[in-house]
């Protein structure tokens, strides 16, 4: 099962990455959206990209989506490990993978059923000659909207590479 996901996150000046929100979209249509209830916005400079582009679209710490980082990791684990032969896919996915992995501690603590690598739609696009990717009609930098777009982009590249009715990597 392919899982398309995206984190919004804050880079703490080279001292780690803090998740703000995460969206997952499974190939079978299931979706998951969660926010880090304890993200400390006071550490984010007022002129930071996140203030204008991420904060306005969050549901907020009082919403049903707001969970601790531990709950975030456990919920993602339950969401993904319902299926086998799982793949994780992101777009410019390296930071997303580290943000995901660190929900569980060290790299070796990644739960069974969660891949140790996130495959990158950007790399697929480069391999295929960097064709124009689909436009994103939902708001950008909302983690679930971005995860949905990741699936659209993967679907597009798959058809670009293989034609209709054939499933790629
Ligand atoms: Mg995003």
């Amino acid at each position: 099962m392919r899982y398309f996901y995206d984190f919004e996150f804050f880079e703490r000046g080279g001292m780690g990455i803090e998740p703000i929100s995460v969206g997952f979209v499974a190939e079978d249509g299931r979706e998951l959206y969660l926010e880090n209830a304890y993200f400390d916005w006071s550490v984010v400079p007022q002129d930071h990209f996140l203030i204008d582009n991420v904060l306005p679209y969050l549901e907020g710490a009082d919403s049903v989506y707001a969970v601790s980082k531990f709950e975030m990791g456990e919920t993602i684990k339950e969401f993904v490990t319902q299926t086998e032969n799982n793949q994780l896919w992101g777009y410019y996915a390296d930071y997303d993978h580290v943000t995901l992995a660190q929900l569980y501690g060290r790299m070796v603590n990644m739960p069974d059923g969660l891949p140790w690598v996130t495959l990158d739609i950007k790399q697929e696009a480069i391999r295929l000659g960097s064709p124009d990717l689909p436009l994103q009609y939902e708001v950008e930098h909302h983690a679930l909207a971005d995860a949905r777009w990741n699936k659209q982009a993967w679907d597009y590249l798959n058809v670009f590479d293989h034609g209709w009715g054939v499933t790629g990597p």
Side-chain angles (χ1 to χ4, degrees), residues 6-8 140-143 146:
D6 182 66
F7 275 94
E8 299 304 321
E140 289 185 39
H141 307 299
H142 181 289
D146 289 356

Side-chain angles (χ1 to χ4, degrees), residues 69-97:
K69 284 195 286 183
F70 177 79
E71 291 172 298
M72 183 179 276
E74 292 301 298
T75 307
I76 291 169
K77 181 171 72 176
E78 287 171 21
F79 185 79
V80 173
T81 58
Q82 297 174 30
T83 53
E84 296 182 346
N85 300 321
N86 299 320
Q87 293 180 358
L88 298 173
W89 282 87
Y91 186 60
Y92 290 88
D94 304 278
Y95 276 57
D96 296 282
H97 186 83

Side-chain angles (χ1 to χ4, degrees), residues 2 89 124 127-128 154-169:
R2 293 182 189 85
W89 282 87
E124 274 292 276
R127 184 178 73 81
L128 295 169
W154 187 94
D155 288 343
Y156 174 82
L157 289 174
N158 186 46
V159 172
F160 187 92
D161 195 17
H162 300 284
W164 292 101
V166 182
T167 302

